[in-house]
Amino acid sequence: MKGECVGTLDVAQNLIANQMKVFARIINLDSRPDRWSLMQAFVKASRYNLQRFKAIKVPDTDAAKGLLSLRARADVRRERVQHEAISGLGAVGCAVSHFSVWTEFLQSDADVCLVLEDDLHPRGAPGLDSAVGSFLGRKDWDIGLLGWCSTLPARRMDGSITPFPSSAGFSGAQAYLLTRHAATTLTESFFPLEMQVDYAMQAIADAKGLRIVASSRPKLRQTLTGSDVFRVCLLCEPSLVYGVVMGLVTLVAVLVWKVWGKRGLA
């Protein structure tokens, strides 16, 4: 009997999911046709009608002044002292682009917003629809993470929602879903911009009670095609961290060998 109830619930959830409208956009700069070419793997593999959103480029600091808090203006001049800080005009343009997608979504009649950045690795394309579908029809989330970078352990939500661990802290807004409630809340509190878009999403979610939930499916990862927002971040690229650490270890070992080798010969 219990199995029949669970099966009925799954069927009902799938029916609701199939009827939901998804507003799907890929944020891409005009100057990065190489990335748009790679994202064709997602466009072709997905049934969610992924469309290109022309990323907004902020031309100069004067144009950014009205968008930033006093602290963020100082961060732009210092080129990012802290990981979450606004690193430059690229970060401002990135944040405004995400905000603009949310605004367009709210002007549509769609139920859910799917946002992808253009630096996703193509090998994640076959699993996109499955990851998106695992959220649709559920009511236990507001922001759904499909891809993220985090060094903090995930913690599970209360109750029986074990397949969806809530992110204890994430960076990277390369792939996520928003409900209309989440998009409304984010747009109402987004400006003046204080920090990078991913950290701003977390801060607003924490202040307003939005539920951030990470997909249990394999997360969508970014490629190393060079950031348009800031210089390469070692916190977000474990492979680079490993390379740097191993390089330093090797250098120290060579120096020690030379010093002790000379002493031994003497």
Side-chain angles (χ1 to χ4, degrees), residues 80-161:
R80 200 182 199 210
V81 176
Q82 294 179 313
H83 188 65
E84 69 272 14
I86 295 293
S87 57
L89 296 178
V92 180
C94 175
V96 175
S97 296
H98 282 262
F99 175 86
S100 299
V101 171
W102 306 339
T103 302
E104 284 193 11
F105 161 56
L106 291 174
Q107 293 172 349
S108 74
D109 63 348
D111 303 292
V112 174
C113 182
L114 168 62
V115 183
L116 303 180
E117 293 183 339
D118 62 2
D119 58 350
L120 294 178
H121 200 290
R123 68 185 175 201
L128 174 63
D129 283 9
S130 176
V132 172
S134 66
F135 282 92
L136 302 184
R138 302 183 67 117
K139 296 182 178 180
D140 46 35
W141 63 279
D142 299 301
I143 300 174
L145 303 180
L146 305 176
W148 69 97
C149 172
S150 176
T151 55
L152 299 178
R155 52 184 167 77
R156 296 191 180 281
M157 296 183 69
D158 295 334
S160 60
I161 317 171

